[in-house]
Amino acid sequence: MTTDSSARADDLLVVGGHTFTSRLFLGTGKYKSNEETIAALEASGTEVVTVALRRVDLAREEGPNLLDALGDRWTLLPNTAGCFTADDAVRTLRLARELEIADLVKLEVLADPKSLLPDVEQTLAALKVLVSEGFTVLVYTNDDPVTARKLEEAGAAAVMPLGSAIGTGLGILNPINIELIVGQAGVPVIVDAGVGTASDVAIAMELGCDGVLLNTGVAKADDPVLMASAMKHGCIAGREAFLAGRMPKGRPTPSSPVEGVITGKRDA
């Protein structure tokens, strides 16, 4: 039985003790307003919403902030966007714990503000501290299978390899590595970053990923709400295709068998 947010009613995503029917995670940055953000979240069918705490007006100097707008309708996934050291990332997520929104957290430590690629050493250092303090950590990383394995061994509840660099919309540039990560992982694999349109989501899911996290592809679309809906359907279609098992690739073959077909010619 198919639902609005998953391929099958019994096809559930389990991350760190949390169970979800939707496999699409959505970010909250870059929208024109809180109202547009909420409308896109609703259209996406997501159950998990990621929030960059460093970019939220926690002092509410300009009135109610994004956290107030979100309320308790979604599972919040506070992240460390904008952090470039392990210390900054750990400090940010300790703040999330103080705000009582740290059941699940997303760790992201970037190497520099230009490439926005992950700093693997700083990420691993931060992960070890957070795990020792009892956090359930989903970790953003590059698409290197060796790094993904090390992060899982260090206690990551999910590994989140990039499809391509943050904000580029270039899609899944290295599907072979993503498949290798999926094939070895004992925790959920959630593609994060570089998703530009619904087909990118479908490809990630067809590769066997457990989910996709995206933001810019929706927020910067001409119609974010409509794109959010498209992303939802791309996620469902890709997951169903993966579960169904695609046909083998090979030489051209007729779509209908030719054996036993009457040609209309008389036997000689």
Side-chain angles (χ1 to χ4, degrees), residues 152-211:
E152 180 178 344
E153 290 172 350
V159 293
M160 308 181 79
L162 54 80
S164 49
I166 293 172
T168 61
L170 294 174
I172 312 298
L173 294 184
N174 200 339
I176 294 175
N177 272 18
I178 298 295
E179 278 191 309
L180 289 173
I181 292 171
V182 170
Q184 72 181 12
V187 296
V189 175
I190 301 171
V191 160
D192 178 14
V195 174
T197 191
S199 59
D200 298 332
V201 178
I203 289 170
M205 300 306 295
E206 288 174 5
L207 291 171
C209 293
D210 298 282

Side-chain angles (χ1 to χ4, degrees), residues 54-204:
R54 292 167 63 93
R55 297 168 184 162
V56 174
D57 175 23
L58 296 175
R60 294 173 173 81
E61 294 178 353
E62 299 180 3
N65 63 23
L66 176 62
L67 295 178
D68 298 321
L70 293 172
D72 59 0
R73 298 172 60 185
W74 293 278
T75 296
L76 297 184
L77 182 66
N79 69 50
T80 59
C83 291
F84 295 91
T85 68
D87 288 343
D88 280 349
V90 170
R91 189 179 306 113
T92 297
L93 293 179
R94 285 172 177 162
L95 173 60
R97 174 166 281 172
E98 291 178 9
L99 295 172
E100 298 182 344
I101 54 171
D103 285 347
L104 297 173
V105 296
K106 177 192 165 185
L107 174 61
E108 173 183 309
V109 185
L110 303 181
D112 61 80
K114 185 175 182 180
S115 72
L116 299 180
L117 293 173
D119 184 318
V120 173
E121 292 179 348
Q122 291 291 303
T123 298
L124 188 57
L127 173 63
K128 290 177 178 178
V129 173
L130 293 167
V131 169
S132 73
E133 295 183 3
F135 286 87
T136 301
V137 190
L138 291 72
V139 187
Y140 171 67
T141 184
N142 55 27
D143 58 5
D144 172 29
V146 175
T147 298
R149 174 175 51 79
K150 289 182 178 180
L151 292 170
E152 180 178 344
E153 290 172 350
V159 293
M160 308 181 79
L162 54 80
S164 49
I166 293 172
T168 61
L170 294 174
I172 312 298
L173 294 184
N174 200 339
I176 294 175
N177 272 18
I178 298 295
E179 278 191 309
L180 289 173
I181 292 171
V182 170
Q184 72 181 12
V187 296
V189 175
I190 301 171
V191 160
D192 178 14
V195 174
T197 191
S199 59
D200 298 332
V201 178
I203 289 170

Side-chain angles (χ1 to χ4, degrees), residues 26-31 34 37 41 49-52 66 70 214-215 219:
L26 209 62
T28 53
K30 305 180 182 179
Y31 291 93
N34 284 348
T37 304
L41 295 177
V49 175
T50 184
V51 178
L66 176 62
L70 293 172
L214 60 95
N215 183 183

Side-chain angles (χ1 to χ4, degrees), residues 2-3 6-8 11 205 235-245:
T2 300
T3 69
S6 65
R8 301 184 316 201
D11 181 38
M205 300 306 295
C235 188
I236 295 171
R239 181 64 179 176
E240 288 183 341
F242 172 74
L243 294 176

